[in-house]
């Protein structure tokens, strides 16, 4: 008997494997595998989530109007050009579905977020990886990959899993080199952590062009990863396309309420950013003193080179044995590295102490 056959490309997808969240047989001291906000969600967001419990029998606002208005106020954007989704992952998937299909190509950087090629294959398109230079997206390499089949270019800026970024001038040069029918997707999930004066999240470019969108998330600095909440800012034409394609009620009631409250808690967001401003450079410097090779990061994590696949695997096992969960990133083509989320002071110091013992015993 014959069986249903999936569309071409589906069976080429290697399923995405998220970071581990527990250690069998051991008490977990710190989960540092998924770049979650170190200080957790805002107390205001938690209160709003709890209050929403009494309304769970109601459908949410299908247009996320209150949340879009709050995002608009917070970032100085037109709410009509904002689309909300179940995490920025949903929006990235919808963008690829809307603008890619059989015979098309999607370009991403060599160590870009794994969901870009997964989304391309799911739409029947071909993912094309552009080489990076020093673990950074290379504008010239990306432009060299553009063909008449290119429909979408995905740029994570800052990038996950490397933590590196390209400047606003480089992003604009990338856009200037793309044909007008190619969509540039700027995935700025970690933008709230960046304080460099040569960085721009993508808002200014979106305001000037018809083929650029920016996606953001509440999963990182706002600490709402468990609620799956993200948003996109784009030109009116692309917003219209997304509104037609997305599912009704795609953002649940509790997530909308928590998102609005999280945006209003400026003190909590500032504390989360300050925690990262202190402990990201500290851990990077301490690991370099141990002879390890941390990549320069502007996100809420550091990716550390151990020199070989075997040593990285051994370091992973060592940290896990100490109750600390890093992220192995061999799936990104970086088997000799581990990615470590910047947690609280206690968690970061535990990582440093554990790896110091590891280096001594090697």
């Amino acid at each position: 008997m014959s069986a249903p056959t999936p569309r071409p490309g589906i069976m080429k997808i290697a399923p995405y494997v998220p970071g581990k969240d527990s250690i069998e047989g051991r008490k977990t001291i710190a989960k540092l595998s998924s770049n979650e906000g170190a200080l957790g969600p805002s107390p205001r967001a938690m209160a709003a989530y709890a209050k929403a419990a009494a309304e769970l029998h109601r459908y949410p606002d299908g247009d996320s109007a209150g949340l879009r208005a709050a995002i608009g106020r917070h970032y100085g954007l037109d709410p009509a050009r904002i689309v909300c989704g179940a995490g920025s992952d949903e929006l990235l998937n919808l963008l690829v579905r809307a603008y890619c299909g059989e015979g098309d190509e999607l370009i991403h950087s060599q160590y870009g977020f794994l969901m870009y090629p997964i989304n391309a294959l799911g739409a029947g398109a071909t993912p094309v990886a552009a080489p990076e230079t020093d673990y950074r997206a290379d504008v010239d390499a990306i432009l060299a990959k553009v063909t008449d089949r290119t429909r979408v270019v995905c740029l994570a800026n800052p990038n996950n899993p490397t933590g590196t970024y390209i400047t606003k001038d480089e992003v604009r040069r990338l856009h200037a080199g793309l044909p007008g029918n190619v969509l540039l997707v700027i995935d700025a999930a970690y933008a709230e952590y960046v304080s460099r004066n040569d960085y721009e999240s993508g808002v200014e470019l979106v305001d000037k062009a018809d083929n650029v969108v920016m996606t953001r998330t509440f999963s990182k600095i706002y600490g709402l990863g468990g609620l799956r909440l993200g948003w996109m800012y784009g030109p009116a034409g692309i917003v219209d396309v997304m509104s037609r394609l997305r599912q009704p009620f795609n953002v649940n009631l509790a997530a909308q309420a928590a998102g609005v409250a999280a945006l209003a808690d400026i003190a909590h967001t500032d504390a989360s950013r300050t925690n990262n401003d202190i402990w990201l450079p500290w851990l990077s410097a301490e690991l370099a003193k141990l002879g390890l090779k941390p990549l320069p990061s502007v996100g809420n994590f550091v990716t550390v080179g151990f020199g070989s696949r075997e040593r990285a695997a051994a370091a992973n096992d060592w940290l896990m044995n100490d109750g600390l969960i890093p992220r192995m990133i061999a799936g990104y083509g970086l088997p000799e590295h581990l990615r470590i989320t910047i947690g609280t002071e206690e968690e970061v110091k535990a990582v440093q102490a554990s790896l110091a013992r590891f280096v001594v015993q090697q």
Side-chain angles (χ1 to χ4, degrees), residues 299-351:
N300 69 329
F301 58 91
V302 60
T303 291
V304 187
F306 289 84
S308 71
R309 175 191 293 265
E310 293 74 21
R311 194 171 186 229
N316 178 76
D317 292 344
W318 181 279
L319 288 165
M320 295 275 281
N321 193 57
D322 280 348
L324 305 164
I325 308 177
R327 177 68 185 272
M328 298 186 76
I329 48 177
Y332 282 91
L334 295 166
E336 69 281 11
H337 291 75
L338 297 178
R339 193 190 69 191
I340 302 171
T341 305
I342 301 302
T344 62
E345 175 180 357
E346 178 185 5
E347 292 168 342
V348 169
K349 288 184 174 179
V351 169

Side-chain angles (χ1 to χ4, degrees), residues 261-279:
L263 289 168
D265 196 344
I266 304 297
H268 185 78
T269 305
D270 287 347
S272 298
R273 185 181 298 107
T274 297
N275 180 83
N276 202 66
D277 288 345
I278 293 170
W279 297 112

Side-chain angles (χ1 to χ4, degrees), residues 156-205:
N157 199 34
N159 186 51
N160 170 34
T162 60
T164 56
Y165 76 103
I166 64 173
T167 67
K168 59 185 177 183
D169 289 340
E170 290 176 292
V171 175
R172 289 174 187 179
R173 185 165 70 87
L174 170 61
H175 173 255
L178 295 175
N181 68 331
V182 173
L183 175 64
L184 175 60
V185 179
I186 302 173
D187 179 357
Y190 299 91
E192 286 84 2
Y193 290 106
V194 188
S195 57
R196 307 296 178 91
N197 60 12
D198 61 353
Y199 172 80
E200 205 277 315
S201 65
V203 169
E204 293 178 10
L205 195 54

Side-chain angles (χ1 to χ4, degrees), residues 102-252:
E102 299 288 340
D104 295 334
E105 294 178 347
L106 176 150
I107 300 174
H108 60 92
S109 63
Q110 180 180 4
Y111 303 121
F113 186 36
L114 280 177
M115 288 311 300
Y116 307 149
I118 288 175
N119 288 336
L121 291 168
T126 300
V128 178
E132 296 190 8
T133 301
D134 296 328
Y135 302 100
R136 293 175 69 248
D138 185 316
V139 170
D140 293 318
I142 292 173
L143 292 176
K145 293 289 185 179
V146 175
T147 71
D148 59 3
R149 292 185 174 184
T150 304
R151 294 293 176 267
V152 175
V153 173
C154 287
L155 175 72
N157 199 34
N159 186 51
N160 170 34
T162 60
T164 56
Y165 76 103
I166 64 173
T167 67
K168 59 185 177 183
D169 289 340
E170 290 176 292
V171 175
R172 289 174 187 179
R173 185 165 70 87
L174 170 61
H175 173 255
L178 295 175
N181 68 331
V182 173
L183 175 64
L184 175 60
V185 179
I186 302 173
D187 179 357
Y190 299 91
E192 286 84 2
Y193 290 106
V194 188
S195 57
R196 307 296 178 91
N197 60 12
D198 61 353
Y199 172 80
E200 205 277 315
S201 65
V203 169
E204 293 178 10
L205 195 54
V206 172
D207 283 338
K208 295 176 181 178
D210 292 328
N211 64 333
V212 183
V213 299
M214 175 195 69
T215 61
R216 301 284 277 269
T217 183
F218 280 82
S219 296
K220 306 307 177 184
I221 204 165
Y222 294 112
L224 299 180
L227 290 182
R228 310 310 303 125
L229 183 60
W231 57 281
M232 182 202 91
Y233 179 61
I238 295 177
V239 167
D240 178 59
V241 169
M242 294 288 281
S243 296
R244 295 168 187 271
L245 190 59
R246 71 173 178 82
Q247 295 293 304
F249 313 115
N250 61 327
V251 180
N252 72 68

